[in-house]
Amino acid sequence: MSEFVRNVRLWLEPGRVREQGTTPDYRFSLANERTFLAWLRTALALIGGGFAVDQFLPHLRWAWRVGLALALLGAGVLCALRAVHHWVRCEQAMRRGEDLPVSRFPAVLSLLVAVVAVAMVVVVLAGWAG
């Protein structure tokens, strides 16, 4: 069974994480949970932004509106999935006494949000000019 499938199973059965290693200091587990919740808040904000673009910009060209909305909604979905995946990986690493996992996801998400922001700047400037 691949590690990805094992991790997805742990998403749905988080109690199985306790079968590995020893219980870490509760402060670290709670910090891991706060980070998870912060990622979920970010995901909800991205999803809300995607719906806002779609619903509140009806005069925007269809391609721009749908493109921006789908980019934000997709980023929200990825962020939510990444949140639980990262929580599991960090909890496993803490229980095993290993270094915390590193990820490129924050950089990728930042670049995606920056691209959407630049596109929105173009939309705003084009909308004001035309």
Side-chain angles (χ1 to χ4, degrees):
M1 181 181 328
S2 74
E3 184 174 337
F4 177 75
V5 173
R6 262 185 267 132
N7 282 338
V8 170
R9 284 185 171 188
L10 290 175
W11 296 1
L12 304 174
E13 299 178 46
R16 293 182 64 194
V17 172
R18 293 182 176 172
E19 295 172 358
Q20 304 171 15
T22 59
T23 302
D25 187 338
Y26 288 110
R27 293 175 293 179
F28 299 133
S29 290
L30 294 172
N32 189 27
E33 193 169 309
R34 284 192 298 273
T35 303
F36 167 74
L37 294 173
W39 280 109
L40 279 186
R41 284 192 299 271
T42 303
L44 288 173
L46 289 167
I47 291 168
F51 276 115
V53 165
D54 183 54
Q55 296 297 311
F56 298 119
L57 298 174
H59 301 295
L60 196 61
R61 285 186 181 178
W62 181 86
W64 276 101
R65 185 170 48 88
V66 170
L68 290 172
L70 288 179
L72 289 169
L73 291 169
V77 169
L78 288 176
C79 195
L81 294 175
R82 177 65 183 152
V84 69
H85 184 65
H86 190 70
W87 176 84
V88 166
R89 290 178 55 206
C90 286
E91 197 67 26
Q92 285 177 321
M94 288 189 301
R95 294 190 70 82
R96 294 176 185 158
E98 299 172 351
D99 290 338
L100 293 178
V102 294
S103 174
R104 292 186 182 114
F105 184 74
V108 171
L109 182 63
S110 297
L111 289 173
L112 179 64
V113 170
V115 167
V116 170
V118 168
M120 288 187 168
V121 166
V122 170
V123 166
V124 167
L125 292 176
W128 284 349

